Amino acid sequence: MVRPPTSRSVVPGAGRLGLVESTAPTDLRTLGWVDEDSLELLWSLSRAANADLALRTVVRLNDALGDKFAELDSALRTDKGLRGRLFGLVGASSALADHLVSDPQAWRLLASPDGKSTGRIDLPSKQQLTEQLLAAVQASPETGEHASSELYRASVTGPEAVVALRKTYRDQVMVLAAADLAATVENEPVLPYQLVGNQLSDMADAALTAALAVAIATACPDKPCPSRIAVIAMGKCGARELNYVSDVDVVFVAEPADATASRIAGEMMRIGSSAFFEVDAALRPEGKRGELVRTLDSHVAYYKRWAKTWEFQALLKARPMTGDMELGHSYVAALNPMVWLASQREDFVPEVRAMRRRVEEMVPPELREREIKLGRGSLRDVEFAVQLLQLVHGRTDESLRVLGTTDALTALTDGGYIGRDDAANLTASYEFLRLIEHRLQLQRMKRTHTLPPPDDEEALRWLARAAHMRPDGNRDALGVLAAEIKRNAQRIRRLHAKLFYRPLLDSVVRFDSDTVRLTPDAAIRQLAALGYAAPENALGHLRALVGGGARRGQIQAVLLPTLLEWLADTPDPDAGLLNYRRLSEAASEQTWFLRTLRDEGAVAQRLMIVLGSSAYVPELLIKAPEVIRLYADGPSGPRLLDAEPEETYRAILSSSGRYEDPVRAINAARALRRHELARVASADILGMLDVPQVCRALSSVWAAVINAALAAAVRSSVAERGEPAPATLAVIGMGRLGGGELGYGSDADVLFVCEPAEGADDSAAVKWANGIADKIRKLLGAPSTDPPLEVDTGLRPEGRNGPVVRTLASYEAYYAQWAQAWEVQALLRAHQVAGDEDLGIRFLLMVDRIRYPEGGVSQDAVREIRRIKARIDSERLPKGADPATHTKLGRGGLADIEWTVQLIQLRHAHDVKSLHNTSTLQSLDAIGAAELMSETDVELLREAWILATKARNALVLVRGKPTDQLPRPGHVLSAVAKVAGWDNGDAGAFLDNYLRVTRRAKAVVERTFGA
């Protein structure tokens, strides 16, 4: 039987509406929203930021209103504006939804005036807001000699006043939030960011006017207010750009500033904090330790003698708020001139910049990418940059003396201090982040500036819908939100740097108002203050950079103030600037170079960190400048991390394999090695790679270059001979190469093993293989300005007296009869790295019997190893080296830890198969898992090995040449500490930590070798 087709219902089900809670179908039936007459209601509901929350709230309203819900239901069906405001509100804010349910008749505040679909509500004026709040406490104008237009006395005080004020104020917030959110549900007007901030600031003014009225009635119940008292708004409220949930910063000025005035101020803060928002007076003179109330003369005296730069910066936003407005205006008039002289204070710019850095450091590292107020590319970046420019230029240009951030951006643009495009982009990004901040706060009416964690998709999806993000065809709303947040943060950070360190800024600050150009002496003083030890040389570099051609010079003039500031934070800004000059000259024909630095702030900053931190990397970058492009961020993070060691390995082999000439093949391999060393070292300095990742990458490069050299030498020989090779050849990595733990200054320890081809004469095959090995070493060891490529065969049987190449059978015979303890120990790190893989694996299987002998090595061998170790400790340390800080041979250094691990392997690897491992770190894991050493001891050795390796690598990166000895405390050690990732490059703390860690590791080593 064929069933007739069924038509799909026009009434959407819960799933189509985006309702996911199991109770949704029942709730819709309870409301009667299940027929075609409810279609508009249902689709409006579906557009709420959280449709389930909105539906639950309407059901709660139904329960609370009872028979009166029919009126709300009817209004929702006819008044589209009400639908947008109500669903927008209760779908985006659980706190305001609860507030509405607590007084369900308050829905009428959200209805359109005429009850029609086209109606819209008008936000109340400041006067209306004030009247509503004053009426809540039955306030009337204050009388007496200190009466003023904004001073009132409440008839309702105590807890009853707080309850009444809280309800009235929350109603006002609800009305504003509903109008702000309506556009997310219906085609309602979008409220501009400035309008919302202004309205919230007006509400705060009105709220504290009412709180002051209650405070006066409480402190002076039987007499008129005995003082003139003014409340000054500071911060965001002063600038009239307040958030939905924010502290309101205030300062009190009174005449006289007596105990009663202080009590009134204290009561006002208590009532305001209980009913509305946190009222904070910490910006007053001397902060929280200072008097709560001062006279105007006392304020003036403090700012003239004691105020710090940040306190003048805070006064930028000062605005009379309530109370005696005449006194408030007198306060602003008296202090305002001092604000515009603050930029002439000594060290003004460094103080402001240091304050900004301190603010950034207050944010935990794990929250910096989610913090939209204080993190990188945040709201505070915009505000600091704008305020600095106002303070610097506002002393001569009164048009910049405005309160709001966006108003100031407009004034700076009109005055020619900021480019119009930069200002427009900065304003747009600022307003976008303020919108996100408002939506975050509205959800629970809590003060927050932190985005949900990336794995909380539900919270992020809610935020995207509340912020009116819509799918763009390629991404859903959540994807659009993530992209917009990232784009705006990056844009703010880039523009912040451009504005904050704009050309001539310091010269304008340091000189009289009519001095706008740096003199040579002033430039030298400025560079010295920025941390340049040889400012005269630095000035010469700057002249050369700016004079390098008209177009290039112009770009350099724009870049250099920011670059200099970044260089000033590096261990060696003088060397960094010299390196930048050399790199700029080397890349003079590369059109992308300056363009990239100009357009990619992250690239420029990372480059300056590298150039001012390392003598190793700049030499590589000069010959491989294309690596600088990798300093940019890609879709998945820094592009320096895009390449995997395996990819680089294959690329080196492929590139060198194109050439028959071995010299050209090795040059191709060298070029890619140079590129890879620059990439890895740059990522290391920038803190993007950990020690095992660095070691793995460097070991892979070495293996690839050896493989390329071997293949090139064999190809050349075959071409010359005109016949196939008489033998196969494998290269066995030893030491740190075999362990995959090479550092920047490591040589490559190897063994060469060959196997004659079928029918070939053994002696001829070995002779040919020796020639190939010699050619490899010569090709790789040829003079070059790159870091050296030394191939060391000193760990072969019989040491440097033995043949360089042996057959597999020869190795087997030697190790079976003649292997000494040190040779067996060396084999623990043998690993096939190049050449014939089958031959290499057969070699390793053969030596497994030697290095992992049944029953473990003999006691005689253990004693011999202990004897050799003691001899190394006493004889091998270089003359003049400090045994406490030599990273390789010092106490608790690399040799101590590696010998300890290898002794355990020799004794127990026959039982513990996981000890068949050439890596020190992986072997330590195996030792811990097998409980051959306590977990604490294993961790001590691991920590010391990583620290010593990191320090050793940092030494090479800083000095540009291999060295194992940590320097004495001073400039170089500070640089090593910073490159090694130590916080703030504190050389003393870094050295103390190194000595502590290695001392504890040495104790473990001594226990193990004595066992």
Side-chain angles (χ1 to χ4, degrees):
M1 177 180 176
V2 178
R3 296 178 180 272
T6 57
S7 59
R8 188 178 184 182
S9 172
V10 296
V11 180
R16 287 178 65 196
L17 295 171
L19 297 165
V20 298
E21 292 196 1
S22 59
T23 57
T26 302
D27 290 341
L28 291 173
R29 287 194 296 272
T30 299
L31 297 174
W33 293 2
V34 291
D35 55 17
E36 293 187 23
D37 291 339
S38 304
L39 281 176
E40 288 192 27
L41 270 177
L42 292 171
W43 289 120
S44 292
L45 177 71
S46 73
R47 292 189 289 269
N50 185 332
D52 285 292
L53 173 61
L55 178 59
R56 286 200 309 273
T57 304
V58 176
V59 171
R60 292 168 66 198
L61 285 172
N62 176 48
D63 294 340
L65 288 168
D67 295 340
K68 296 179 181 178
F69 179 75
E71 184 180 0
L72 172 58
D73 182 84
S74 175
L76 286 170
R77 294 173 185 274
T78 58
D79 186 348
K80 186 174 73 172
L82 172 62
R83 279 205 304 273
R85 288 184 286 275
L86 182 68
F87 291 158
L89 178 76
V90 300
S93 176
S94 59
L96 291 176
D98 291 342
H99 173 73
L100 179 59
V101 172
S102 71
D103 179 15
Q105 290 295 340
W107 72 263
R108 301 178 189 280
L109 297 173
L110 309 181
S112 301
D114 56 3
K116 296 180 181 178
S117 178
T118 56
R120 55 172 294 182
I121 58 174
D122 293 321
L123 296 175
S125 66
K126 182 176 180 178
Q127 181 178 349
Q128 291 171 321
L129 293 167
T130 305
E131 289 172 354
Q132 292 170 9
L133 285 157
L134 290 173
V137 290
Q138 302 174 27
S140 57
E142 174 66 343
T143 58
E145 63 174 316
H146 300 311
S148 63
S149 60
E150 297 297 319
L151 207 60
Y152 296 86
R153 175 181 292 270
S155 297
V156 179
T157 59
E160 184 182 351
V162 171
V163 171
L165 290 174
R166 182 185 297 127
K167 168 67 170 66
T168 305
Y169 178 76
R170 190 55 67 96
D171 280 346
Q172 293 176 348
V173 173
M174 181 182 72
V175 170
L176 174 61
D180 192 11
L181 291 159
T184 65
V185 172
E186 295 289 357
N187 188 23
E188 291 290 296
V190 175
L191 295 190
Y193 148 74
Q194 284 183 298
L195 174 60
V196 175
N198 290 347
Q199 187 75 5
L200 287 165
S201 300
D202 288 346
M203 289 163 56
D205 289 2
L208 292 190
T209 298
L212 182 59
V214 177
I216 289 173
T218 302
C220 311
D222 303 320
K223 60 180 180 180
C225 181
S227 299
R228 298 177 66 196
I229 185 165
V231 184
I232 310 299
M234 307 286 281
K236 280 187 167 62
C237 188
R240 301 194 73 236
E241 49 190 19
L242 200 59
N243 296 331
Y244 277 101
V245 185
S246 177
D247 291 354
V248 171
D249 296 303
V250 297
V251 169
F252 296 99
V253 56
E255 302 287 351
D258 55 15
T260 302
S262 293
R263 188 184 174 198
I264 291 171
E267 280 293 317
M268 190 206 83
M269 291 178 62
R270 183 187 65 79
I271 294 162
S273 298
S274 299
F276 314 124
F277 36 68
E278 190 70 27
V279 182
D280 191 345
L283 293 180
R284 66 185 184 267
E286 300 180 80
K288 293 182 179 180
R289 297 173 301 170
E291 295 291 337
L292 182 59
V293 178
R294 288 176 181 254
T295 64
L296 178 56
D297 287 345
S298 176
H299 276 286
V300 170
Y302 173 83
Y303 281 99
K304 282 184 175 179
R305 295 190 61 187
W306 308 110
K308 296 181 172 60
T309 296
W310 71 264
E311 293 177 282
F312 291 107
Q313 188 175 0
L315 284 174
L316 271 173
K317 308 294 186 185
R319 173 180 63 84
M321 182 185 204
T322 191
D324 191 317
M325 297 298 283
E326 182 181 350
L327 180 59
H329 285 295
S330 297
Y331 171 92
V332 172
L335 297 183
N336 195 257
M338 299 185 204
V339 173
W340 306 110
L341 294 175
S343 62
Q344 295 178 319
R345 293 162 60 94
E346 186 177 357
D347 295 329
F348 165 73
V349 170
E351 279 189 31
V352 172
R353 294 173 181 173
M355 180 167 61
R356 179 66 189 101
R357 284 194 293 270
R358 285 195 297 272
V359 169
E360 279 190 349
E361 290 167 2
M362 289 169 58
V363 183
E366 65 274 13
L367 294 181
R368 285 177 186 166
E369 296 304 316
R370 294 167 48 203
E371 173 60 58
I372 62 173
K373 179 180 179 181
L374 303 178
R376 294 179 59 81
S378 67
L379 294 165
R380 191 57 59 90
D381 276 339
V382 180
E383 291 162 357
F384 261 66
V386 169
Q387 289 169 25
L388 179 62
L389 291 173
Q390 281 184 277
L391 288 169
V392 170
H393 299 295
R395 70 173 184 265
T396 57
D397 188 344
E398 294 187 5
S399 69
L400 302 182
R401 301 179 184 183
V402 295
L403 301 177
T405 301
T406 54
D407 290 339
L409 277 167
T410 300
L412 286 163
T413 304
D414 293 342
Y417 304 103
I418 298 178
R420 293 195 177 277
D421 288 345
D422 290 345
N425 287 327
L426 203 60
T427 300
S429 292
Y430 182 72
E431 293 185 355
F432 171 78
L433 291 186
R434 289 303 300 272
L435 170 68
I436 298 300
E437 181 183 38
H438 282 178
R439 296 299 179 260
L440 286 169
Q441 294 179 345
L442 275 172
Q443 186 177 29
R444 294 183 177 86
M445 290 304 289
K446 290 186 177 180
R447 185 185 182 195
T448 181
H449 318 96
T450 306
L451 295 166
D455 58 352
D456 191 348
E457 288 196 8
E458 182 179 350
L460 287 168
R461 187 168 287 106
W462 161 84
L463 178 60
R465 291 168 64 88
H468 209 187
M469 297 289 115
R470 292 292 182 259
D472 63 0
N474 298 317
R475 298 165 295 192
D476 61 8
L478 195 154
V480 172
L481 173 69
E484 282 298 296
I485 289 173
K486 182 177 181 180
R487 182 178 69 87
N488 282 282
Q490 288 177 341
R491 182 163 69 176
I492 285 174
R493 192 65 187 175
R494 184 175 66 249
L495 291 173
H496 167 262
K498 184 176 179 181
L499 302 180
F500 199 66
Y501 306 105
R502 62 175 293 131
L504 305 179
L505 187 58
D506 282 340
S507 68
V508 173
V509 169
R510 296 191 188 318
F511 290 93
D512 296 334
S513 300
D514 58 350
T515 303
V516 294
R517 194 179 311 170
L518 282 173
T519 66
D521 287 344
I524 288 171
R525 289 198 300 272
Q526 177 179 318
L527 288 165
L530 288 171
Y532 290 85
E536 297 88 349
N537 294 342
L539 187 58
H541 299 323
L542 295 180
R543 286 179 180 141
L545 286 163
V546 175
R551 177 60 180 161
R552 295 180 63 82
Q554 289 174 0
I555 297 175
Q556 292 283 19
V558 172
L559 288 172
L560 279 167
T562 303
L563 302 186
L564 288 172
E565 192 68 24
W566 283 329
L567 281 173
D569 288 332
T570 64
D572 194 345
D574 294 270
L577 184 56
L578 172 59
N579 288 329
Y580 177 64
R581 176 182 174 181
R582 294 174 61 217
L583 184 59
S584 294
E585 290 170 350
S588 59
E589 302 302 319
Q590 306 287 341
T591 58
W592 58 266
F593 176 67
L594 289 180
R595 184 175 66 246
T596 300
L597 298 189
R598 181 193 63 196
D599 297 338
E600 298 288 344
V603 173
Q605 185 174 18
R606 288 166 179 167
L607 179 61
M608 294 308 107
I609 292 172
V610 169
L611 295 181
S613 302
S614 172
Y616 180 88
V617 181
E619 300 298 329
L620 295 169
L621 290 178
I622 287 170
K623 289 181 286 187
E626 66 278 0
V627 175
I628 295 168
R629 289 179 165 177
L630 302 181
Y631 285 30
D633 288 317
S636 58
R639 293 183 58 204
L640 284 168
L641 303 182
D642 284 352
E644 290 292 331
E646 293 80 5
E647 296 174 9
T648 303
Y649 183 95
R650 290 192 295 270
I652 290 174
L653 292 183
S654 175
S655 176
S656 63
R658 298 190 185 104
Y659 301 99
E660 292 297 328
D661 180 3
V663 174
R664 295 185 67 188
I666 292 303
N667 286 341
R670 280 182 181 275
L672 284 179
R673 173 181 181 260
R674 185 185 309 130
H675 181 284
E676 183 66 1
L677 288 179
R679 182 191 71 82
V680 172
S682 296
D684 191 3
I685 292 169
L686 295 168
M688 298 176 182
L689 295 174
D690 59 24
V691 167
Q693 289 172 318
V694 170
C695 292
R696 174 171 165 248
L698 295 176
S699 300
S700 179
V701 170
W702 252 114
V705 171
I706 293 172
N707 229 327
L710 174 58
V714 170
R715 282 198 307 273
S716 174
S717 174
V718 168
E720 288 177 6
R721 290 164 55 90
E723 58 184 35
T728 54
L729 193 62
V731 182
I732 307 300
M734 304 289 282
R736 297 179 78 84
L737 174 61
E741 295 169 341
L742 282 179
Y744 297 106
S746 302
D747 293 340
D749 292 307
V750 301
L751 300 179
F752 289 99
V753 56
C754 77
E755 186 168 64
E758 187 174 349
D761 178 71
D762 283 9
S763 60
V766 172
K767 182 178 179 181
W768 174 84
N770 270 289
I772 295 295
D774 287 341
K775 191 165 190 177
I776 290 172
R777 289 190 293 172
K778 288 178 182 177
L779 286 170
L780 295 180
S784 170
T785 55
D786 287 345
L789 277 163
E790 295 295 335
V791 175
D792 191 341
T793 58
L795 293 178
R796 65 187 185 270
E798 302 179 74
R800 302 192 183 280
N801 296 321
V804 173
V805 182
R806 288 176 180 260
T807 64
L808 180 61
S810 175
Y811 274 111
E812 185 171 14
Y814 176 86
Y815 285 129
Q817 297 185 48
W818 310 108
Q820 299 180 46
W822 71 266
E823 292 174 309
V824 175
Q825 183 180 354
L827 287 173
L828 288 171
R829 307 194 76 176
H831 190 76
Q832 195 270 339
V833 295
D836 187 88
E837 186 173 349
D838 177 68
L839 176 58
I841 290 174
R842 284 189 285 125
F843 174 88
L844 296 178
L845 292 174
M846 179 271 294
V847 300
D848 278 353
R849 298 190 299 273
I850 310 301
R851 56 185 174 176
Y852 311 130
E854 191 65 32
V857 294
S858 68
Q859 285 301 310
D860 288 343
V862 171
R863 282 192 292 271
E864 177 65 10
I865 289 170
R866 288 173 175 163
R867 186 191 66 79
I868 296 172
K869 179 69 171 63
R871 183 178 175 186
I872 288 175
D873 288 346
S874 63
E875 298 179 6
R876 291 283 299 278
L877 197 68
K879 186 177 181 179
D882 183 348
T885 55
H886 195 277
T887 58
K888 182 178 180 181
L889 300 174
R891 291 191 293 264
L894 294 172
D896 271 350
I897 298 159
E898 290 166 1
W899 278 64
T900 300
V901 169
Q902 290 160 19
L903 179 60
I904 294 173
Q905 287 180 286
L906 290 169
R907 300 177 76 178
H908 299 283
H910 65 286
D911 280 337
V912 182
K913 299 302 181 184
S914 57
L915 287 176
H916 295 197
N917 199 309
T918 62
S919 162
T920 302
L921 291 181
Q922 292 175 15
S923 296
L924 275 171
D925 289 339
I927 289 168
E931 298 183 351
L932 299 175
M933 184 181 285
S934 72
E935 185 177 338
T936 300
D937 284 354
V938 168
E939 189 54 39
L940 287 174
L941 294 184
R942 171 188 298 280
E943 184 182 7
W945 190 92
I946 289 177
L947 179 58
T949 302
K950 184 181 291 186
R952 192 184 191 206
N953 282 344
L955 278 165
V956 178
L957 291 173
V958 169
R959 289 188 156 175
K961 57 185 178 181
T963 180
D964 297 314
Q965 178 66 60
L966 285 175
R968 297 182 183 278
H971 172 74
V972 176
L973 183 61
S974 295
V976 170
K978 197 159 188 175
V979 170
W982 195 255
D983 291 344
N984 301 319
D986 186 335
F990 171 78
L991 187 58
D992 288 345
N993 180 68
Y994 182 89
L995 293 172
R996 179 174 61 255
V997 170
T998 53
R999 182 175 63 249
R1000 294 165 69 187
K1002 183 64 175 179
V1004 177
V1005 171
E1006 289 175 342
R1007 287 200 301 274
T1008 302
F1009 265 86

